[in-house]
C-alpha cells in the first residue's frame, strides 16, 4: 500500500523534530516522492550524513510502502 506525503513528513519530523519538510509526489502513484528537508541538525555534516539521518527516519518504509525518494537536504540559511 502506498504512503501519503503527510505520513512521510510525520516520520521525518518524529526523528528530526525541527525539520522543515516539503514532499512532492513525483508520479502520482504514492510510491515515488521528492523531499526537501531543512534542519539545524544537518549543519556541519556532509550531504551523505544528512541523507543517512533522513533515511534512518524512514528505514522501516524504504523499499516497501515507499519505493523511491529523491532527497535534498540542507541546514537553514543564517541571517
Amino acid at each position: 500500500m502506498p504512503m501519503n506525503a503527510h505520513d512521510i513528513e510525520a516520520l521525518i519530523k518524529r526523528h528530526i523534530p525541527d525539520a522543515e519538510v516539503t514532499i512532492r509526489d513525483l508520479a502520482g502513484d504514492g510510491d515515488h516522492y521528492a523531499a526537501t528537508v531543512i534542519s539545524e541538525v544537518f549543519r556541519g555534516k556532509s550531504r551523505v550524513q544528512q541523507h543517512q539521518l533522513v533515511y534512518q527516519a524512514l528505514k522501516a518504509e524504504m523499499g516497501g510502502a515507499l519505493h523511491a525518494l529523491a532527497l535534498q537536504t540542507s541546514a537553514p540559511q543564517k541571517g
Side-chain angles (χ1 to χ4, degrees):
M1 181 169 179
M3 289 187 74
N4 70 47
H6 177 73
D7 292 339
I8 297 168
E9 180 178 352
L11 283 170
I12 293 170
K13 287 188 171 193
R14 186 176 307 144
H15 289 83
I16 308 172
D18 77 325
E20 180 182 319
V21 181
T22 305
I23 306 288
R24 291 185 337 269
D25 187 339
L26 295 176
D29 61 4
D31 284 335
H32 299 81
Y33 288 97
T36 301
V37 183
I38 301 169
S39 171
E40 189 60 42
V41 75
F42 298 147
R43 192 168 307 282
K45 292 184 172 40
S46 72
R47 187 66 39 112
V48 170
Q49 290 170 322
Q50 293 174 18
H51 287 204
Q52 286 172 336
L53 288 169
V54 176
Y55 288 132
Q56 285 172 2
L58 300 171
K59 66 182 171 191
E61 303 300 334
M62 288 304 296
L66 180 58
H67 179 72
L69 181 68
L71 189 56
Q72 293 182 331
T73 56
S74 67
Q77 296 287 330
K78 288 198 173 198

